[in-house]
Amino acid sequence: MLSIILFSLLSFITGAATPGEAQRAELLFVGDAMQHQAQLDRAKELGGDRYDYSDCFTLIAPEVTAADYAVCNLEVPLGGGPSYSGYPCFSAPDSYAKALKDAGFDLFLTANNHCLDRRDKAARRTLTALDSLGVDHIGTYHDAAQREKSVPFIKDINGIKFGFLNYTYGTNGIEPAEGIEVALIDRPRMADEIRKTREAGAEIVVVTIHWGVEYVLLQNKNQEDIAKFLTDQGADLIIGGHPHVIQPMKVVRNEKEDKDVLIVYSLGNFISNMKTADTRGGALVRAVVERDDDGVARFKYADYDTFFSAKPAGGNSNFKVIPSWMPEKIPAAQKAHWELFDRGAQRIFDKHNVNVPRKHK
């Protein structure tokens, strides 16, 4: 009896499945976490030198923390100040990343076209700052040797081993000058790292990828070709970003390995100061993995929701991510913008999604 009690207590603490209980893990993904100049200016107005982001994610945080593991694309270097900047060469304070961590994000993606905006020094400082926050991060590395040591990155989530990889199409023409390592979309390298990740024990391989054409609501042939390549290499989840607008998501069949694969072409913006209707929000996707009776962990299903990136609405308000299922929280002056974004996203998803439904109607 004592052993049963101890096992149950250990299972509660670790999240491991109890005897007879199926192992299950829910992952959550959002798109591009931006910091434009207006966002920086507002955070400074509210917090002084501290840069206050404490109210940006309070409404979405319960959804993020409800997942077993949550992933965001940090599309800004953490340059360390004293000056910070928005587009075209981003640099944000550490308090921004801390706010994302406090909202519940566990894994920060750093391979994107803006990761070298403040050159190698800031790219390396970003890694050091994320380490100090105690969050996971992949995609850029201090040098090639660290990449070799850090890949594969495998995380045990509720007793299921997930391998995560992150790649970008480029870095806006800025070349590494001091040996910083950026994981680029390179088919032989990706295939090799997927293989190594699987050989290291990953049961589910997640490839997060920065690709596509900005502001275009449908994926292009290049994205489709790369997604097919990654599927053929055995990836289970393929999660895309970069276009700053949403693109379709679908479940496809890998007949060779007899399994379903989730492909998300773009999750759009998570938070930003962009102004056109399609860029005013984004999507989150939840992916559920379960271990079957045969002992094999498999991707089971996914669903999505949308959210709106609201601008400050007077008083002490800040830029704020507002879930679409909380329309009463959207400032009255911005409801028309939210409706344009959400209806546009819904049209794309209704027409082009395959087996990825919306959770909150």
Side-chain angles (χ1 to χ4, degrees), residues 181-193:
E181 180 77 4
V182 179
L184 298 174
I185 296 173
D186 175 275
R187 293 195 185 201
R189 187 69 180 266
M190 293 191 299
D192 183 58
E193 291 186 339

Side-chain angles (χ1 to χ4, degrees), residues 34-39 269 271-275 279-280 309 311-312 319:
M34 311 296 296
Q35 270 298 284
H36 292 98
Q37 192 62 51
Q39 295 170 269
N269 286 328
I271 191 168
S272 79
N273 185 46
M274 291 189 174
K275 296 177 174 62
T279 64
R280 289 295 303 272
S309 184
K311 301 181 189 302
F319 288 82

Side-chain angles (χ1 to χ4, degrees), residues 51-216:
Y51 286 80
D52 185 357
Y53 298 98
S54 58
D55 195 40
C56 293
F57 310 115
T58 52
L59 294 180
I60 198 74
E63 196 74 19
V64 178
T65 57
D68 296 305
Y69 199 69
V71 182
C72 69
N73 173 46
L74 182 67
E75 197 154 353
V76 287
L78 303 175
S83 63
Y84 301 102
S85 58
Y87 182 84
C89 287
F90 291 101
S91 178
D94 295 357
S95 57
Y96 178 54
K98 185 178 185 303
L100 289 164
K101 176 193 174 181
D102 292 344
F105 288 102
D106 303 290
L107 176 63
F108 289 62
L109 310 176
T110 59
N112 54 65
N113 58 305
H114 287 289
C115 65
L116 295 182
D117 277 6
R118 290 290 188 96
R119 305 309 192 269
D120 293 43
K121 182 178 179 180
R124 286 198 173 94
R125 190 193 175 282
T126 301
L127 304 180
T128 302
L130 293 176
D131 284 339
S132 70
L133 287 173
V135 296
D136 298 331
H137 55 88
I138 57 172
T140 57
Y141 308 90
H142 287 280
D143 50 35
Q146 191 201 28
R147 181 178 182 179
E148 286 295 325
K149 182 179 178 180
S150 302
V151 178
F153 171 72
I154 297 178
K155 194 78 175 178
D156 188 310
I157 306 171
N158 294 351
I160 301 173
K161 292 183 178 180
F162 289 82
F164 292 88
L165 296 162
N166 179 214
Y167 303 98
T168 179
Y169 73 91
T171 54
N172 289 346
I174 302 172
E175 296 293 333
E178 302 169 13
I180 191 81
E181 180 77 4
V182 179
L184 298 174
I185 296 173
D186 175 275
R187 293 195 185 201
R189 187 69 180 266
M190 293 191 299
D192 183 58
E193 291 186 339
I194 290 172
R195 177 185 58 79
K196 288 180 178 178
T197 299
R198 190 71 75 182
E199 290 176 352
E203 300 174 272
I204 299 292
V205 174
V206 182
V207 179
T208 56
I209 189 163
H210 213 68
W211 60 0
V213 179
E214 290 182 333
Y215 316 120
V216 177

